[in-house]
Amino acid sequence: MNKSTRKSAARSSSGRVKTIDIVNKGLKRRYGKEKRFRFYGLLSIIASAAFLAFLLTSIVSKGYSAFLQTYIKLDVPLEAGMLDKQNPGRSDFQGIIKEAIKDYYPGVTERQDKRELYSLFSSGAAFQLRDEVLNNPSREGSTISLWVLADDDVDMLMKGHIKREVPESQRRLSDKQLRWIERLEKDNRIEKRFNTTFFSAGDSREPELAGIWGAVKGSFYTMLVTLMLSFPIGIAAAVYLEEFAPKNLATDFIEVNINNLAAVPSIVFGLLGLAVFLNFFGMPRSTPLVGGIVLMLMTLPTIIIASRAALKAVPPSIREAALGVGSSKLQVVASHVLPLALPGMLTGTIIGMAQALGETAPLLMIGMVAFIVDIPGGFTDPSAVMPVQIYLWADSPERAFVERTSAAIMVLLAFLISMNAVAVVLRKRFERRW
Amino acid sequence: MQEVVNKTTVEKRILAPRDSRKTIGTIHVSKPRMVCRNVNVYYGDKQAIRNVSIDIGCNEVLAMIGPSGCGKSTFLRCLNRMNDTIDSCWVTGEILFDDKNIYDPSIDVVPLRAQVGMVFQKPNPFPKSIYENIAWAPKIHGIVESKSDADEIVETSLLKAGLWEEVKDRLDQPGTGLSGGQQQRLCIARAIAVSPEVILMDEPCSALDPIATAKIEDLIEELKTQYTIAIVTHSMQQASRVSQRTAFFHLGDLIEVGMTKDIFTKPSHQLTEDYITGRYG
Ligand SMILES: Nc1ncnc2c1ncn2[C@@H]1O[C@H](COP(=O)(O)OP(=O)(O)O)[C@@H](O)[C@H]1O
Ligand SMILES: [Mg+2]
């Protein structure tokens, strides 16, 4: 027995320093550390929640008013036979609207005044009239009362963004125009209604005619292309690299490059798309097809990396069990490994897709920043996507586009949330943790 | 600390080039099912099995014992080429099954493993239903075609594994929900579902309690009438209870082979004696 053990034996026999005392002495410090750590964690969660809440309130408070739009009720007399049956476009709906306005304000005669008066109404009013007449041809020869779109300045006034108190010279509406609007208000001919245009139209130079639907459909088609390409390719690549490929210099090289690709700035993919898909292959510009392919290039590394991690996490004992009964490698992967790895692969896919959904830079390169009014009907129609639409509106000078920008962000978030929800449901279905 | 020192010295000794030691006892049997000759196994440049030659007889239970790290699992996994899954592992020598060297390039591992099944140390049922656990392998081999065939195989396999009574009402429930002992019997049932000829067992009871262990041992007793079994065990009692022949490994060498009752009553090699009397290992 050496000296030190004798000493400690003596100590414990005299009962002065027991292990439990040492443990007890340290306890307070240990718990203190834990408490501090928990406090820091809580603090960071509160901070991020506060930022998120701030962001959301600012977007919602700015954007919710875009869901309403000012309409004006006009009594429009329709003469019998005014509709050119063969070619309805030739009928002068604009003229009829102007007549109806003039009828309502008989006192306005000056040319200048008339122009100011007409500008209270949206140029979309004529289209509304046309649709109304085409849908109900029987109403020809009677007077119909129609709620037509007000101009965006009127809309801004009704929503309080243009103040009546400010001097006329600094206001986008003249005193005269205000008086005309007051008359409409007195007659209950002006009111805010749900803004169907915003959810059904494409882009427009006139804010009251601009809608997000074209961009939503464009984003949908683009995402579909991205998903259809990157999910199967990504998973096939991950499965091959992880389960089948020999471990050698070539596969190491591929692995390094995949990791590098994940860190490449997205605009580079846009340039690549421009050079390869548009200029070399001559694919149509500004289309979801090309946009989807470019975003696929961007999401692939994310999906491959996440899928490989998911495959690595499948316990090797499962593989051995399956190999041990004489299954081929493919049977092991298809029956046992993939089902277990699929939830993780879906998580990676949804992260990649969410990134792709919010991506603007590479799409600018392939012309998706163009001003596109039509709503895309397929993968090869020119179309906008939501983030680019938001970028375009945020850049527009009209006051009415401010609220539409925020509203578009809300729609984008809703799109993102529903995309995630689908992924969560799918993942739950596959996630049978036995 | 002591542990670590031991391990490194063991590794040094394995790494050091030296000749294999001669095996004591008779490696031959009258009716061999598998014949191993001069088998060497390497992990990279490290040799784990040295020049091992042994026969495995038809319908016999061969127990492999030896201190941990001596290469029992490595040798066992050679017998159905499970070692193929380890990239650094390579094998020389001959292992004959049906008079063909299983390491011959013309041999396909899929049918080999269907004939030489394996039960692992840790129970590893598939994360699927009990039914699927049994039925999957026959299905992929095309042994069963109809649902009734599959039902029959599931029932007979579970009956043979002594698990039928316990699980017959819950076949659709996950195999991973069973107790450890039941899981291991499920794995045995899974292995015999494809009617292999040889079953390799790598310490099948090391994760089980004594009652579950006794059940597995009873099961081995019954299985040996139909199958050839090679079992690795760290329990000398188990080896003496279930096996006819015993092989003692030490640092990659096959030191001694013989009838189990001889090995445990009158071992010839000093190392064997030290090991079975508990002085070593
Ligand atoms: N996958 C592996 N890679 C490298 N060395 C291994 C591997 N598996 C086992 N070994 C080594 O081979 C020797 C024998 O191992 P093993 O067969 O598992 O022993 P046992 O089953 O008898 O305990 C040990 O020294 C071990 O470290
Ligand atoms: Mg072992």
Side-chain angles (χ1 to χ4, degrees):
Chain A
M1 199 190 256
N2 65 33
K3 210 167 158 191
S4 74
T5 45
R6 213 178 311 139
K7 205 165 121 201
S8 71
R11 266 214 236 153
S12 54
S13 65
S14 72
R16 267 197 298 139
V17 181
K18 282 198 208 144
T19 313
I20 187 66
D21 292 334
I22 303 172
V23 171
N24 281 339
K25 227 165 64 195
L27 268 188
K28 218 174 132 194
R29 224 184 57 230
R30 269 197 249 174
Y31 286 135
K33 246 186 194 163
E34 187 175 319
K35 231 186 210 155
R36 273 200 302 283
F37 182 78
R38 289 221 307 243
F39 176 71
Y40 294 145
L42 202 65
L43 208 63
S44 45
I45 286 182
I46 289 173
S48 21
F51 278 123
L52 187 68
F54 176 75
L55 188 79
L56 282 181
T57 22
S58 112
I59 290 172
V60 172
S61 64
K62 270 194 213 143
Y64 80 97
S65 55
F67 296 139
L68 295 176
Q69 161 71 32
T70 307
Y71 284 77
I72 300 170
K73 189 159 107 180
L74 268 188
D75 293 330
V76 187
L78 296 177
E79 287 164 31
M82 50 75 67
L83 189 62
D84 184 341
K85 290 264 167 19
Q86 262 72 48
N87 194 349
R90 294 260 293 279
S91 315
D92 183 15
F93 295 106
Q94 189 71 45
I96 299 171
I97 291 282
K98 280 183 182 165
E99 282 305 315
I101 299 170
K102 252 194 303 193
D103 287 353
Y104 184 65
Y105 294 103
V108 183
T109 48
E110 296 282 320
R111 257 182 84 101
Q112 179 61 30
D113 287 353
K114 272 196 213 159
R115 189 176 303 146
E116 274 190 39
L117 178 60
Y118 296 151
S119 75
L120 294 182
F121 295 83
S122 166
S123 56
F127 299 111
Q128 278 179 289
L129 178 63
R130 187 193 62 188
D131 292 346
E132 183 71 22
V133 175
L134 285 180
N135 289 338
N136 308 294
S138 59
R139 301 182 70 174
E140 243 181 306
S142 63
T143 297
I144 59 170
S145 58
L146 190 64
W147 284 95
V148 297
L149 282 166
D151 187 63
D152 59 310
D153 287 332
V154 179
D155 189 41
M156 288 298 101
L157 180 83
M158 297 303 288
K159 287 173 180 167
H161 296 311
I162 293 179
K163 299 267 182 301
R164 293 174 203 235
E165 307 84 66
V166 292
E168 187 177 13
S169 57
Q170 291 169 28
R171 203 189 313 119
R172 284 182 58 86
L173 291 168
S174 67
D175 286 343
K176 259 189 221 146
Q177 284 174 314
L178 286 190
R179 276 202 304 281
W180 292 327
I181 293 169
E182 269 159 28
R183 184 169 162 212
L184 285 171
E185 282 175 318
K186 221 166 56 222
D187 292 355
N188 279 334
R189 279 178 174 273
I190 185 165
E191 68 178 40
K192 280 183 279 185
R193 304 174 137 206
F194 182 69
N195 190 356
T196 47
T197 315
F198 183 72
F199 293 101
S200 61
D203 198 7
S204 169
R205 297 275 184 236
E206 303 295 333
E208 73 274 9
L209 293 178
I212 192 71
W213 187 238
V216 170
K217 275 188 92 173
S219 273
F220 176 77
Y221 285 129
T222 310
M223 286 298 106
L224 210 61
V225 172
T226 307
L227 182 68
M228 288 308 180
L229 292 175
S230 62
F231 188 65
I233 296 179
I235 285 183
V239 168
Y240 179 77
L241 285 175
E242 204 52 53
E243 305 286 333
F244 294 96
K247 302 270 169 289
N248 56 24
L249 225 62
T251 45
D252 282 351
F253 182 72
I254 291 174
E255 170 153 16
V256 168
N257 276 302
I258 288 172
N259 291 341
N260 283 344
L261 274 185
V264 166
S266 55
I267 196 154
V268 175
F269 292 108
L271 286 168
L272 182 86
L274 176 65
V276 176
F277 302 120
L278 295 189
N279 294 345
F280 186 74
F281 287 115
M283 289 178 168
R285 188 170 283 273
S286 313
T287 54
L289 178 66
V290 179
I293 295 176
V294 167
L295 292 177
M296 176 269 286
L297 295 177
M298 210 192 77
T299 34
L300 257 186
T302 312
I303 294 182
I304 294 178
I305 291 170
S307 300
R308 291 188 70 177
L311 287 169
K312 278 204 184 92
V314 174
S317 62
I318 300 295
R319 291 190 182 84
E320 291 211 313
L323 287 174
V325 293
S327 57
S328 68
K329 243 176 181 176
L330 183 65
Q331 286 166 332
V332 179
V333 172
S335 301
H336 299 292
V337 178
L338 263 190
L340 289 175
L342 211 52
M345 292 173 159
L346 280 175
T347 307
T349 308
I350 201 62
I351 291 172
M353 293 294 288
Q355 273 174 357
L357 180 65
E359 199 56 68
T360 334
L363 300 180
L364 302 185
M365 290 288 107
I366 54 156
M368 286 190 109
V369 74
F371 172 71
I372 288 149
V373 179
D374 292 329
I375 292 169
F379 297 105
T380 50
D381 289 350
S383 70
V385 288
M386 280 188 278
V388 176
Q389 189 67 78
I390 290 166
Y391 165 77
L392 285 173
W393 284 352
D395 224 23
S396 300
E398 284 91 349
R399 180 62 182 79
F401 274 126
V402 174
E403 56 176 34
R404 279 174 174 73
T405 306
S406 295
I409 294 174
M410 281 151 69
V411 173
L412 176 69
L413 289 179
F415 193 102
L416 187 70
I417 289 169
S418 31
M419 214 164 78
N420 283 349
V422 171
V424 167
V425 169
L426 280 178
R427 200 167 52 202
K428 274 270 132 45
R429 180 161 297 178
F430 290 117
E431 208 169 44
R432 282 176 300 174
R433 287 249 162 266
W434 287 3
Chain B
M1 196 60 209
Q2 194 64 29
E3 183 76 23
V4 174
V5 169
N6 262 344
K7 212 176 145 201
T8 50
T9 49
V10 163
E11 268 169 2
K12 263 200 199 111
R13 271 194 270 169
I14 286 190
L15 267 173
R18 64 167 167 78
D19 293 332
S20 61
R21 288 166 285 180
K22 200 175 168 333
T23 305
I24 296 179
T26 42
I27 59 167
H28 302 283
V29 296
S30 52
K31 246 178 76 193
R33 193 72 197 78
M34 295 188 92
V35 177
C36 311
R37 288 294 174 266
N38 308 328
V39 176
N40 291 285
V41 185
Y42 305 82
Y43 291 110
D45 49 8
K46 185 175 121 188
Q47 190 167 8
I49 288 290
R50 289 169 194 281
N51 217 22
V52 168
S53 300
I54 188 171
D55 288 354
I56 303 170
C58 228
N59 288 21
E60 78 165 359
V61 178
L62 171 72
M64 303 182 192
I65 58 170
S68 103
C70 67
K72 308 179 295 288
S73 301
T74 301
F75 183 68
L76 192 76
R77 289 164 61 93
C78 288
L79 299 176
N80 69 345
R81 290 183 55 178
M82 273 315 272
N83 279 342
D84 288 11
T85 57
I86 300 166
D87 282 328
S88 65
C89 183
W90 51 289
V91 179
T92 65
E94 267 192 333
I95 299 176
L96 301 179
F97 179 72
D98 284 338
D99 299 326
K100 272 188 265 166
N101 184 4
I102 62 170
Y103 277 92
D104 193 273
S106 67
I107 292 286
D108 187 354
V109 291
V110 168
L112 171 71
R113 287 183 190 144
Q115 287 166 285
V116 184
M118 183 140 196
V119 176
F120 297 84
Q121 181 165 2
K122 212 174 129 249
N124 56 355
F126 297 134
K128 295 188 186 307
S129 68
I130 293 173
Y131 185 94
E132 271 298 305
N133 260 283
I134 312 286
W136 187 71
K139 263 186 215 157
I140 60 162
H141 289 305
I143 299 171
V144 297
E145 249 134 48
S146 63
K147 171 98 175 68
S148 58
D149 284 356
D151 289 348
E152 199 188 315
I153 276 204
V154 169
E155 186 174 343
T156 49
S157 306
L158 285 171
L159 272 174
K160 278 190 203 166
L163 198 59
W164 176 250
E165 284 306 317
E166 288 159 67
V167 300
K168 66 178 179 205
D169 301 322
R170 43 194 277 214
L171 290 176
D172 55 341
Q173 281 175 34
T176 40
L178 299 171
S179 75
Q182 288 174 325
Q183 284 188 23
Q184 196 61 300
R185 276 181 284 152
L186 179 65
C187 291
I188 295 175
R190 180 177 65 192
I192 56 188
V194 289
S195 320
E197 297 177 24
V198 182
I199 302 177
L200 311 174
M201 298 186 177
D202 190 355
E203 303 195 24
C205 302
S206 65
L208 305 183
D209 60 81
I211 294 171
T213 302
K215 282 195 180 150
I216 304 264
E217 286 180 10
D218 291 345
L219 177 57
I220 294 172
E221 197 66 38
E222 276 176 35
L223 292 178
K224 77 176 175 204
T225 56
Q226 294 178 44
Y227 306 96
T228 301
I229 297 173
I231 179 172
V232 169
T233 173
H234 59 236
S235 151
M236 255 83 64
Q237 290 83 352
Q238 184 167 66
S240 58
R241 277 195 299 261
V242 301
S243 71
Q244 281 96 59
R245 281 167 77 231
T246 296
F248 172 68
F249 286 78
H250 184 252
L251 295 181
D253 290 313
L254 177 55
I255 299 294
E256 186 169 352
V257 198
M259 298 311 286
T260 299
K261 55 180 190 306
D262 298 336
I263 294 269
F264 283 98
T265 50
K266 37 183 200 296
S268 313
H269 199 287
Q270 185 61 40
L271 277 171
T272 319
E273 185 174 344
D274 287 353
Y275 183 70
I276 60 171
T277 53
R279 255 175 278 166
Y280 176 77

